[in-house]
Amino acid sequence: MEKTPENCQVEDALGILVGKWKPVILLYLLQEGTKRFSELKRKMPGITQKMLTKQLRELEDEDIIQRVVYAQVPPKVEYSMTDYGRSLEPVLDAMHDWGAKHTVRKVLKADQVKSS
Amino acid sequence: MEKTPENCQVEDALGILVGKWKPVILLYLLQEGTKRFSELKRKMPGITQKMLTKQLRELEDEDIIQRVVYAQVPPKVEYSMTDYGRSLEPVLDAMHDWGAKHTVRKVLKADQVKSS
DNA sequence: CAGCATCCTGGTAGATACTG
DNA sequence: CAGTATCTACCAGGATGCTG
């Protein structure tokens, strides 16, 4: 597929990644494997149950993550990356690498302002 | 910089890329070089002047693109990528590649539903 | 030509409370 | 434990009109 602006496929990846907590959720699942709902919640202080549920549902709808419910009491639900979801890893890597450089740059710039 | 979720640098790249028209604008400037305001506007039927201005300003504030104003009548303003902005290209590439695969996958999935 | 000022709207995010 | 159900706040995005 050509990389012309008229034929922009960037939006798809963007659409899946946008959401205040999605990148973090994906990084957890990619690096630490399967996680329970409560584990994810604990890892992300500040997120509400509603938001976590919503973001997970959206990722599930896109087949990026998998949701497994255990029929037991108390309930147990586990989330993990799908093989397909793992294909997003290079994208996240590229973004992370760029973000790291960008952060460094912002710090340098702030220094310049200070010393001027 | 480590790629731990606690230290997520993905958001930075995401923050710069989100905006309904930013990826397209960047692809135009990356692939076709310097462009005037009106040229960009013509390329993107549907965008309003206000939105184009806004998106361009935001990209400029992040030093991704450069804005050059020619003191003449009628006014002429040209936009181009900065060297720094060009460093985003691998990110856009990664996202485009993924998006292209994703599109194919969605088509296949739709077919499965139809033939079932 | 390029852009600002104003007003409007829908959806994302969040706070809070309740349930199988 | 892992969710729904409401309600509220905010802002990106958009329509329209004016200007150096």
Side-chain angles (χ1 to χ4, degrees):
Chain A
M1 185 118 31
E2 261 193 284
K3 279 176 193 132
T4 62
E6 296 81 12
N7 173 24
C8 177
Q9 309 298 133
V10 171
E11 321 275 4
D12 291 290
L14 208 55
I16 287 174
L17 260 21
V18 289
K20 197 168 182 181
W21 307 90
K22 284 183 191 167
V24 192
I25 293 172
L26 293 178
L27 288 181
Y28 272 121
L29 295 181
L30 276 171
Q31 293 178 14
E32 306 186 9
T34 303
K35 285 256 170 291
R36 296 185 57 167
F37 185 89
S38 55
E39 287 179 295
L40 285 172
K41 177 137 178 35
R42 215 172 310 125
K43 295 268 190 185
M44 292 178 275
I47 196 172
T48 59
Q49 272 139 336
K50 180 198 160 187
M51 281 314 297
L52 183 52
T53 301
K54 197 184 163 205
Q55 310 275 305
L56 288 170
R57 284 289 178 287
E58 289 174 8
L59 290 170
E60 190 193 355
D61 289 344
E62 297 281 3
D63 291 325
I64 305 300
I65 65 174
Q66 195 180 10
R67 179 167 178 267
V68 179
V69 183
Y70 294 85
Q72 63 180 47
V73 180
K76 178 178 165 185
V77 181
E78 285 185 342
Y79 294 90
S80 56
M81 298 298 289
T82 60
D83 287 341
Y84 183 60
R86 260 179 260 279
S87 71
L88 261 178
E89 198 157 13
V91 177
L92 289 167
D93 282 351
M95 295 180 73
H96 177 95
D97 290 345
W98 193 88
K101 278 183 226 152
H102 186 64
T103 302
V104 172
R105 193 161 179 279
K106 277 195 294 190
V107 172
L108 289 176
K109 217 177 163 190
D111 279 348
Q112 280 172 18
V113 172
K114 260 199 289 182
S115 61
S116 68
Chain B
M1 185 119 28
E2 260 192 284
K3 279 176 195 132
T4 61
E6 296 81 10
N7 172 27
C8 176
Q9 308 300 133
V10 171
E11 320 274 5
D12 290 291
L14 208 56
I16 287 174
L17 260 20
V18 288
K20 195 169 183 182
W21 309 89
K22 286 182 191 166
V24 192
I25 293 173
L26 293 178
L27 288 180
Y28 272 122
L29 295 181
L30 276 171
Q31 293 177 15
E32 306 185 9
T34 303
K35 284 259 170 291
R36 294 186 58 169
F37 185 89
S38 53
E39 286 180 294
L40 285 172
K41 178 136 177 33
R42 215 171 312 125
K43 295 269 190 183
M44 291 178 274
I47 196 172
T48 59
Q49 272 139 337
K50 179 199 161 186
M51 281 315 297
L52 183 51
T53 302
K54 197 183 162 202
Q55 311 274 305
L56 288 169
R57 283 288 178 287
E58 289 174 7
L59 291 171
E60 190 193 354
D61 289 345
E62 298 280 2
D63 292 323
I64 305 301
I65 66 175
Q66 195 180 9
R67 178 169 178 265
V68 179
V69 182
Y70 294 85
Q72 64 181 46
V73 180
K76 177 178 167 186
V77 181
E78 285 186 343
Y79 294 91
S80 57
M81 298 297 290
T82 59
D83 287 341
Y84 182 60
R86 259 179 260 280
S87 70
L88 262 178
E89 198 157 14
V91 178
L92 289 168
D93 281 351
M95 294 179 74
H96 177 94
D97 290 345
W98 192 88
K101 278 182 226 154
H102 186 65
T103 303
V104 172
R105 194 162 179 279
K106 276 194 293 191
V107 172
L108 290 176
K109 218 178 162 188
D111 278 349
Q112 281 173 18
V113 172
K114 259 198 290 183
S115 62
S116 69

